[in-house]
Amino acid sequence: MALGFGPFVDITGNESFHRVTPDDVAECVNRWPYKSDTDRRFDAKRVIKSTGVADRFVLKKGTTVQGVVHELLDAWLAEAGLTEKDCGGIALSHTNYANPSDALHIAETVAQQRNISGPVLATSYGCTGFVKLVSEAIPAMKHVQNDKCLPLLFVESPTNGVDVRDPKAGPIFADGAAATGLLHDVGHKLLFASVRDIEPPVASSGPIFHSEVDDAENFFGESERKLVMRMAGNEAYENAIQVLTQATGIALERILYGGRGYSPRVFVVPHQPNGKLVKALQDMTGPELQQHFGLPKVRFVNGMWERANTVSVTIPSTIARIAELEKEDPPKQGDIVLMPAAGICIADPGSKMSQGRAAMEW
């Protein structure tokens, strides 16, 4: 029995979120305590130019991830025309480096509060979390009745795990919430989803990602000592381009050489760590892949402008807004949507990366 994605919804920016402007980001980064005398000051223009992101959102003070999960589930069920009685389980992606089991605890609590029985899935998998959750949901659907669905919920608050003053992290990350769901024999046909850990293709003199305990600030100017993620900005950027390009090419080969009788138009919705990176993929990789595979269209969709890097939320959030983002030529029935991802390898962040690839037919 085939599986399909239900509607995609994005509630990022609703009443549970606080808007953060480029001026706010610049103000935070200029307080970075480790900057040298030669470091240039940030301003709003520099934030936008370096990231491809304007405003972004963070959870309001006092807002809980669990509360947002409830809001997101309500929004997705309303969009799908369903109720809790139609749910045959629940699946949540929420990354918490300091407490990876937090996602499962939240998912189990929400399932109990909403009286949802069936499989309860949870991942704390970083930027490849969308593909990871989908890949784990596929076998779980064997335990979901044919007339029921499995909501896939993505709620991320990475600004709690970084120091927003850090010039390599503060301008990049933001919080977000988006959802879709898997159904039997209806919706956008799911073709495949898989994740693997790989060696970074571009050599680095040190770890690309690492975590440490340090004094860190949030976007509300509050400081606390906590576990924060650090990254080598240039190395992370270069490796992300390579890993996403590779994942896209492998996914295209799997689709085109799998017996399809036509050359489809292809929309690529990658994990989006940086708006500038997605633009580079569209300008360089898109035309190369289009020519190499003889396709009528390969389009990388950029959803970063008012979102930033919302970790596992970036892919479903962009798909939820794809008609608006690609309003001149949105996906049509039969088009292929690829969903490649690249990010931290949660099991070995110091020496490996995680690569994901998924695809669906619109």
Side-chain angles (χ1 to χ4, degrees), residues 3 19 49 71 82 99 121-122 153 181 188 191 206-207 210 255 279-280 300 303 307 316 354 361:
L3 298 177
R19 183 182 292 270
K49 183 178 180 179
E71 290 183 58
L82 302 171
N99 183 14
L121 308 178
L153 310 173
H188 307 297
L191 301 178
H210 73 279
I255 289 171
K279 185 178 186 303
F300 282 80
R307 290 298 184 269
S354 180
E361 182 176 324

Side-chain angles (χ1 to χ4, degrees), residues 63-181:
T63 300
T64 66
V65 170
Q66 185 170 309
V68 175
V69 171
H70 278 291
E71 290 183 58
L72 183 59
L73 179 59
D74 286 337
W76 185 78
L77 290 173
E79 182 68 20
L82 302 171
T83 70
E84 289 97 334
K85 293 180 180 179
D86 299 304
C87 297
I90 192 170
L92 172 66
S93 174
H94 171 66
T95 306
N96 185 332
Y97 299 111
N99 183 14
S101 64
D102 190 34
L104 181 58
H105 172 72
I106 293 172
E108 290 177 336
T109 302
V110 171
Q112 183 179 22
Q113 292 173 339
R114 304 296 284 263
N115 197 28
I116 296 173
S117 59
V120 176
L121 308 178
T123 62
S124 179
Y125 217 75
C127 294
T128 54
F130 174 81
V131 182
K132 179 66 172 177
L133 191 64
V134 173
S135 70
E136 293 189 354
I138 292 172
M141 285 296 287
K142 296 178 182 178
H143 307 286
V144 175
Q145 295 178 23
N146 292 347
D147 61 346
K148 292 187 180 294
C149 66
L150 181 63
L152 306 181
L153 310 173
F154 304 86
V155 179
E156 298 283 11
S157 53
T159 57
N160 287 329
V162 299
D163 185 343
V164 299
R165 301 172 299 173
D166 184 346
K168 296 176 181 178
I172 300 297
F173 289 102
D175 302 342
T180 182

Side-chain angles (χ1 to χ4, degrees), residues 259-314:
R260 302 188 76 84
Y262 66 97
S263 295
R265 301 193 317 160
V266 176
F267 291 82
V268 186
V269 181
H271 163 64
Q272 314 208 354
N274 182 302
K276 191 169 68 170
L277 183 151
V278 181
K279 185 178 186 303
L281 286 170
Q282 171 58 33
D283 292 344
M284 296 183 295
T285 305
E288 290 176 3
L289 292 173
Q290 184 173 335
Q291 182 177 13
H292 177 75
F293 289 103
L295 295 169
K297 177 172 185 170
V298 176
R299 171 71 175 169
F300 282 80
V301 183
N302 190 337
M304 290 287 287
W305 183 244
E306 283 196 338
R307 290 298 184 269
N309 183 349
T310 52
V311 196
S312 73
V313 175
T314 64

